[in-house]
Every structure is written in structure tokens, then in C-alpha cells.
Amino acid sequence: MNKYLDNFYRLFSENDQEVYKAVLEKKDWILAPLYLPGDLSISKDEEGKNHFKALEALFDDVLLFNSLGDKRVNNFRYVKFKKKIIGDTHPHFYIEYDFNKIDQKGYQTVVANFYPCLSKKELVIDKNSNDIKELLKLFMIGEENEAVIVLDESNLLNNAFFAPIMKRVIVSESAPMEVKEVLIKLAEEKNIGYVEKAFIKQ
């Protein structure tokens, strides 16, 4: 069995020691560098004004969580990271996060709820089951290079989680100058690294 899937099942063991060991294994996974793909999509507020919501969240030091759009998991939200930047032409930038910098309360909230992604074939989801294990698998569907944090909405404020743990802004050399200017401002304001590099599609 895949080690990530084995870990997942042991989280729900009736043996407390097995659960504890499974959570400890996640420590090495979440404390490695994680990369949030940049999002420059525009949304409108109640007054009809345009906002770069995801970009604004970076300045507010919060991670935005998304809904899966499935009624069975309506109270859960997720955010998806890349474990590596392996070459891409999109998006224009990534934010590197360092969970070594998170406070104790934040760490305790996220570590057990961090899941490396697996393919549908590996997960073998029972679509007719409402068991929490089967429902959580829905969030874990993804590429080998991806991982998710899944939280109950009660842990979030307006679908946001305070996480002042950004380490670097990594920007495509081909990104528009206006994007670079905003990200340079972000790096200066947050006192974090700023790097430009070629994102070569592989």
C-alpha cells in the first residue's frame, strides 16, 4: 500500500498509539517547503467592486480555503499546495510557505489535517459511502506533486486561516511588470525573499 494511504488509514485507527505515530509522520511532510500557486483571478464584492482576492489574502497573511462544492462535505474547506516547483508556464508566481514558522496553535490545527495527494486509482473511493474516511479522500485527489490541508469551516474565519509564514515569492521571469511590482511590494512589506526565475514547462 502507498505510504501516504497507509498513514491516512492509521489516522482513524482505534489504537491511540497508531494514531499518534501517524500524526508524527506528517511532521516531516508539512515542515518541508510547500508552494502555493499564485492566483490573479478577479472577484466582485457586494458593491460590485473588483478584487484580487487571493493576492489581497497574501498581504493579510491568510491562507484562503476553498469549498469542494459537494453537499456531503459542505462543512469542510481545503487549500492545495505544490510540493515542488517542477517547471510550469502558469501561474506567474508561487509563494513558498514554511510551516516551521507557524505558532503552536496553528501547527496543532493543521498537521493532522495535511494530506499528500494521490490519484483516484490509488484512493479507491467508495462513492456510495458517507464514512468520513471516504469523504476526506475526495479532497486528496490530485497529482503526485500536490498536497492539501483540509479543515472544518469552524477553524476558519470567512474561509481564511491566519498563517504569517511566507518565506519567499518566486516569480516567473516572463510575468508582466505590473505583477512583479506588486509582488516586490509584498516581499518588502513582509520582509521575505523575492526571486525571479524561468518557469520552463516540462
Side-chain angles (χ1 to χ4, degrees):
M1 181 184 291
N2 181 288
K3 69 177 183 178
Y4 298 133
L5 195 55
D6 176 63
N7 174 276
F8 174 75
Y9 282 119
R10 285 187 288 113
L11 284 173
F12 297 92
S13 169
E14 293 181 2
N15 184 319
D16 290 345
Q17 285 289 357
E18 281 298 311
V19 175
Y20 180 67
K21 285 194 292 185
V23 172
L24 280 182
E25 288 171 9
K26 289 174 175 278
K27 179 180 178 181
D28 290 336
W29 305 340
I30 197 170
L31 295 183
L34 292 169
Y35 304 93
L36 185 71
D39 181 352
L40 295 174
S41 59
I42 299 173
S43 59
K44 291 184 182 293
D45 63 18
E46 295 175 353
E47 299 175 358
K49 294 180 180 178
N50 289 332
H51 288 271
F52 291 94
K53 192 174 180 181
L55 194 57
E56 292 168 9
L58 297 176
F59 281 92
D60 291 336
D61 277 322
V62 297
L63 285 167
L64 290 182
F65 280 66
N66 306 294
S67 170
L68 198 60
D70 186 319
K71 290 181 180 180
R72 295 175 298 168
V73 289
N74 204 37
N75 59 315
F76 288 107
R77 301 289 184 270
Y78 75 96
V79 61
K80 184 173 281 187
F81 296 91
K82 299 286 187 181
K83 293 189 282 185
K84 295 178 184 177
I85 299 175
I86 56 175
D88 214 334
T89 55
H90 179 80
H92 290 306
F93 68 97
Y94 291 85
I95 302 296
E96 181 180 341
Y97 279 84
D98 181 3
F99 279 86
N100 289 280
K101 296 165 63 177
I102 201 166
D103 63 25
Q104 188 66 25
K105 182 179 179 182
Y107 176 78
Q108 290 173 344
T109 301
V110 301
V111 67
N113 299 298
F114 177 82
Y115 305 98
C117 290
L118 297 166
S119 68
K120 283 185 179 180
K121 184 178 180 180
E122 290 171 302
L123 288 167
V124 192
I125 301 171
D126 182 352
K127 296 179 181 179
N128 298 314
S129 174
N130 284 320
D131 182 87
I132 185 64
K133 295 191 294 293
E134 297 304 307
L135 294 176
L136 282 173
K137 285 180 184 178
L138 298 172
F139 295 95
M140 296 168 60
I141 298 170
E143 300 173 5
E144 182 182 351
N145 188 41
E146 295 178 321
V148 294
I149 296 174
V150 183
L151 295 179
D152 188 283
E153 62 181 347
S154 63
N155 290 304
L156 306 171
L157 181 61
N158 296 324
N159 291 327
F161 186 81
F162 184 60
I165 57 172
M166 289 185 288
K167 184 176 181 179
R168 282 195 304 170
V169 183
I170 304 168
V171 186
S172 169
E173 291 176 347
S174 63
M177 185 54 64
E178 56 267 30
V179 172
K180 292 181 180 180
E181 288 173 354
V182 172
L183 295 172
I184 289 170
K185 181 181 178 182
L186 173 69
E188 290 175 347
E189 184 174 309
K190 302 301 176 183
N191 193 28
I192 59 176
Y194 175 92
V195 177
E196 290 187 20
K197 62 183 294 185
F199 290 173
I200 301 171
K201 192 168 184 178
Q202 296 180 348

